Amino acid sequence: MKRLTLGALACAAAFLLVPAAASAQSVGGCQLNGSASFSPGLTTNAQNFQYSFGGSLSGCKSSVSGAPTGGTVSAGQVETINGEQFQEPVPTGNGSCGSSTTAGTSIATWADGTQTVINYSTTGAAAAVRLQGTVAASVTLQAINPLPGQPTSTTVTTTRYAGDSAQGALTFQPPDPTACNTATGVTTAGIGGAIGLSGS
């Protein structure tokens, strides 16, 4: 079984840490550092919300030959491709600062230009949220105000780690935890930690 831990997904409150397995033929890891934005902000009352995320992947180590050592990851953001803007699928969730569930799709773009699309869901409490997901074959991004003759959508295809699954945990770090008690709530937060992918 192949196992690779790489900083990949974006999630509102946390991400993944995959434990090493004795039967694993390969082991590695990345650090993820980024930030998320929530709308509406997270408060002490449960509600539906949307979010976006962007971060960097660094210090990746793996026994998989040729595996990249870094990259970026995003979810729910606007991508510019060939001068045209496309909207990534916007992750959604329900919950509060105390507990939440979310689901979404993230795109990891590695330093060698390969990409990994991951469909994921999360459940958790406070700063610790578990994530589970699978690597998807592709995701379609819709164009934002395309001009005549421009494409109305584009497809991002997985070119690395196809067929793998994801799981783990990260840390959700709001700049001001007391904002949970305000009407506006927590609208931005840092995300740091690791994420793992494993496959046969």
Side-chain angles (χ1 to χ4, degrees):
M1 181 177 74
K2 173 173 68 70
R3 184 173 296 276
L4 173 65
T5 303
L6 34 129
L9 294 184
C11 144
F15 285 33
L16 319 180
L17 182 59
V18 172
S23 61
Q25 295 179 351
S26 61
V27 178
C30 289
Q31 292 298 313
L32 168 65
N33 288 288
S35 61
S37 298
F38 307 94
S39 178
L42 302 181
T43 68
T44 55
N45 298 316
Q47 62 182 333
N48 294 327
F49 59 88
Q50 298 181 326
Y51 64 93
S52 62
F53 175 86
S56 64
L57 310 172
S58 62
C60 305
K61 299 182 184 300
S62 175
S63 58
V64 176
S65 178
T69 59
T72 61
V73 61
S74 62
Q77 296 196 334
V78 175
E79 287 197 25
T80 300
I81 302 173
N82 297 325
E84 186 179 0
Q85 290 187 321
F86 295 87
Q87 175 66 58
E88 297 175 344
V90 178
T92 60
N94 177 271
S96 63
C97 288
S99 64
S100 66
T101 59
T102 78
T105 299
S106 69
I107 301 171
T109 302
W110 305 103
D112 62 359
T114 57
Q115 293 184 299
T116 304
V117 177
I118 304 175
N119 294 330
Y120 65 90
S121 62
T122 70
T123 59
V129 178
R130 287 192 59 81
L131 179 152
Q132 292 185 324
T134 57
V135 175
S138 63
V139 63
T140 298
L141 314 185
Q142 299 301 317
I144 300 174
N145 299 322
L147 298 175
Q150 288 185 320
T152 58
S153 65
T154 189
T155 299
V156 176
T157 302
T158 289
T159 52
R160 184 175 289 278
Y161 311 125
D164 281 9
S165 60
Q167 59 180 322
L170 287 182
T171 303
F172 172 58
Q173 303 168 325
D176 179 11
T178 64
C180 290
N181 300 313
T182 67
T184 302
V186 174
T187 57
T188 62
I191 302 291
I195 183 175
L197 297 176
S198 63
S200 55

